[in-house]
C-alpha cells in the first residue's frame, strides 16, 4: 500500500512540523541527511505515514512536514536509537530546530482545483 500525505481536518493523524534554521551553505546537506534518514529509518517505523521536506528559497530554513498515525507512534520513534542518531546528525547541521506536533484544524481549496 502506498501512503501519501493527506491533509484533512479531524483525521486524528499526528503532524510533525519541524522548522530547522540552517546556514545557506548547509541547506542542501541537511535536506539530503533528512531524506536519507527518512528512507533508512523513519519509513520502517510503525505508524509512519509520510514525510515532506521543504527548502526555503533564501537557503535559511528546512521544514520537515511528517505524518504519523498517532502521537504515540511518533513518540515511540523518538526512543529508537537509529532515529536518535539521525536526529543528532540533523541537529549538528542546523543552527536551531523547532519540532512540534500539530493537528489539522482547517483545510481550504480553490473550487475545482486538484486536491
Amino acid at each position: 500500500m502506498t501512503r501519501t500525505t493527506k491533509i484533512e481536518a479531524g483525521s486524528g493523524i499526528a503532524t510533525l512540523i519541524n522548522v530547522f534554521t540552517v546556514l545557506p551553505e548547509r541547506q542542501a546537506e541537511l535536506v539530503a541527511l533528512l531524506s536519507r534518514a527518512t528512507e533508512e529509518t523513519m519509513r520502517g517505523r510503525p505508524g509512519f505515514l509520510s514525510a515532506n521536506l521543504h527548502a526555503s528559497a533564501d537557503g535559511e530554513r528546512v521544514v520537515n512536514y511528517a505524518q504519523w498515525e498517532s502521537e504515540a507512534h511518533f513518540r515511540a520513534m523518538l526512543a529508537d536509537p537509529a532515529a536518535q542518531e539521525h536526529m543528532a546528525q540533523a541537529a549538528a547541521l542546523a543552527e536551531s530546530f523547532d519540532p512540534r506536533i500539530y493537528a489539522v484544524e482547517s483545510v481550504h481549496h480553490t473550487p475545482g482545483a486538484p486536491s
Side-chain angles (χ1 to χ4, degrees):
M1 175 172 119
T2 301
R3 297 177 178 178
T4 61
T5 301
K6 185 173 184 179
I7 302 173
E8 183 177 276
S11 68
I13 290 172
T15 300
L16 166 70
I17 300 176
N18 193 353
V19 179
F20 295 86
T21 301
V22 65
L23 295 174
E25 60 269 19
R26 309 284 316 256
Q27 186 188 54
E29 185 179 0
L30 180 57
V31 169
L33 176 101
L34 293 170
S35 183
R36 190 170 55 254
T38 299
E39 288 299 315
E40 293 175 0
T41 303
M42 305 310 172
R43 285 183 61 180
R45 299 293 305 152
F48 175 84
L49 296 174
S50 67
N52 304 271
L53 301 173
H54 304 261
S56 67
D58 64 8
E60 296 177 355
R61 302 279 188 284
V62 173
V63 177
N64 180 5
Y65 182 102
Q67 293 182 322
W68 293 83
E69 287 180 16
S70 68
E71 187 170 349
H73 284 102
F74 171 74
R75 299 277 174 217
M77 175 277 298
L78 291 177
D80 180 275
Q84 290 174 358
E85 181 180 337
H86 287 298
M87 290 182 291
Q89 292 170 350
L93 283 176
E95 298 295 301
S96 66
F97 51 94
D98 186 22
R100 307 280 175 123
I101 294 291
Y102 294 84
V104 177
E105 296 294 327
S106 181
V107 177
H108 304 270
H109 294 284
T110 300
S115 55

